[in-house]
Amino acid sequence: MMMVMIMMVMMMIIIIIIIIINLCKERGVQLDKKHLYEHVPKSVETSQGGKVTILWNQQVQTDRTIPKNKPDIIIRYNEKGTCMLIDVAISGDRNVIKKEDEKILKYKDLTIEIQRMWNVKTKVITVIIGATGTISKSFRKYVNNIPRKHGVKELEKTAILGTDNIIWKVRM
């Protein structure tokens, strides 16, 4: 059971890294490796000119105590005055819609606090994929809000291959 949980977390990290690499390429952030699959994102990436800041795996320091203050990815557009909190999850196929609602509610307080502190318009974007590639009706809308084209099929395929890998490991 523990190995299954570890594999699910690894699938989430792979999807997060795919999104981050695509964002970095779109916003002119220099990647430190020649090949994309070798790139390990830094916790803070800034575009040339400082127009966009991408935070990965970072807690947001707030004036009030907010227990849920660490979304997977934070994208802050300094010039536009906007911010996106992106949270990724792999769930059971039956729980995809429920998980989306949980994530949006989970970061409601953080969204309000970031808007107040940073003086930016903030929204939560959920990237929830079922273990066998199931997505909700609103999935494409969420993914389209993330800058750069992120292939829905590519993200679904990552979840499916990860699930297949887990099944093979458990059967062995």
Side-chain angles (χ1 to χ4, degrees):
M1 190 62 163
M2 183 62 131
M3 188 167 83
V4 171
M5 293 300 292
I6 292 169
M7 296 297 285
M8 293 291 272
V9 170
M10 288 173 55
M11 285 190 318
M12 285 179 19
I13 291 171
I14 290 169
I15 290 173
I16 291 167
I17 289 174
I18 289 170
I19 292 171
I20 289 173
I21 287 172
N22 285 341
L23 287 169
C24 289
K25 286 175 15 185
E26 171 77 13
R27 298 297 168 202
V29 176
Q30 293 296 318
L31 302 178
D32 57 353
K33 300 286 182 182
K34 181 179 175 185
H35 302 288
L36 293 180
Y37 59 84
E38 294 175 342
H39 179 73
V40 177
K42 298 176 204 148
S43 57
V44 178
E45 300 268 12
T46 306
S47 68
Q48 295 170 342
K51 294 178 181 177
V52 179
T53 304
I54 302 168
L55 305 165
W56 176 62
N57 201 25
Q58 288 282 87
Q59 277 188 322
V60 178
Q61 300 297 321
T62 57
D63 297 337
R64 295 185 309 127
T65 302
I66 297 176
K68 311 291 188 203
N69 65 348
K70 191 176 178 182
D72 294 324
I73 304 169
I74 301 171
I75 306 170
R76 182 175 176 182
Y77 295 96
N78 300 319
E79 288 184 343
K80 291 182 185 176
T82 60
C83 182
M84 286 186 221
L85 309 178
I86 303 172
D87 208 63
V88 177
I90 307 292
S91 74
D93 290 338
R94 293 182 177 189
N95 296 328
V96 171
I97 295 170
K98 179 181 170 188
K99 193 63 131 174
E100 275 184 1
D101 294 339
E102 278 178 20
K103 295 287 187 180
I104 291 169
L105 191 59
K106 176 181 177 180
Y107 292 113
K108 190 68 177 166
D109 290 338
L110 182 62
T111 301
I112 292 167
E113 193 66 13
I114 286 175
Q115 286 179 165
R116 187 187 65 75
M117 286 176 24
W118 295 354
N119 196 27
V120 293
K121 185 178 177 187
T122 306
K123 64 181 164 182
V124 177
I125 296 175
T126 60
V127 179
I128 313 296
I129 304 174
T132 61
T134 305
I135 58 173
S136 70
K137 290 180 181 178
S138 56
F139 181 81
R140 281 176 174 46
K141 178 186 81 169
Y142 284 124
V143 171
N144 288 338
N145 279 324
I146 303 171
R148 181 133 175 127
K149 289 271 188 202
H150 299 280
V152 172
K153 291 196 184 303
E154 178 187 19
L155 298 174
E156 286 178 303
K157 184 177 174 182
T158 302
I160 293 168
L161 291 174
T163 300
D164 183 54
N165 192 9
I166 291 170
I167 292 169
W168 276 101
K169 297 253 186 213
V170 170
R171 288 180 64 196
M172 296 283 169

